[in-house]
Structure formats: C-alpha cells, structure tokens
Amino acid sequence: MRFLITAQDTAGNVTLNRGSVPAALKKATELISDGCWNVEIVTPDGAIYQPGEFDQLRERIGAAGSDMSLATQ
C-alpha cells in the first residue's frame, strides 16, 4: 500500500510515499516541523487528511487492528 504525503516548501511541491500509516504520519509531522505548509496524507483509497485530521487517521488504523496498511478498509 502506498500513502502519499504532499506538501509545499520554499523550493516548490514535495511528494513522498510511505508504506504504512505510522510512517506517513511520522514523515508528515517532520515536514511540518521543517516549515512545510499544505501538508496532506492521501490514503490508498483516496481519502485526504490534513494536519488537523491526523488524529482521525490514527483512529482509523486503530479500528483496522494490527493491519497498519488499511488494506481491510
């Protein structure tokens, strides 16, 4: 599963991918700390989470059980 992390910084657009929700959340948080803006996580099913919604994404993986990829959703 691929989770896209998109953001903007002074050089332009940034697009990264990670294989799990925890890894995507970690990278998104790092980008915010580095001063990036418009940070979003796009899940494999197309759902888009902005920083204020990251807790909802954490809750969603809790509901998915031990499968951190959201494959069961």
Side-chain angles (χ1 to χ4, degrees):
M1 301 257 95
R2 252 177 50 166
F3 295 84
L4 295 178
I5 304 99
T6 61
Q8 291 182 322
D9 65 11
T10 56
N13 293 324
V14 177
T15 302
L16 304 166
N17 67 71
R18 295 295 183 266
S20 68
V21 171
L25 287 165
K26 180 180 178 186
K27 179 48 73 178
T29 302
E30 290 171 1
L31 290 172
I32 293 167
S33 295
D34 289 345
C36 291
W37 59 92
N38 294 337
V39 178
E40 296 179 332
I41 297 173
V42 183
T43 64
D45 64 1
I48 299 171
Y49 292 85
Q50 297 176 347
E53 301 167 318
F54 287 175
D55 284 341
Q56 293 173 14
L57 183 55
R58 284 185 189 94
E59 290 173 12
R60 186 172 169 191
I61 65 167
S66 61
D67 180 7
M68 298 295 190
S69 69
L70 295 180
T72 61
Q73 300 270 320

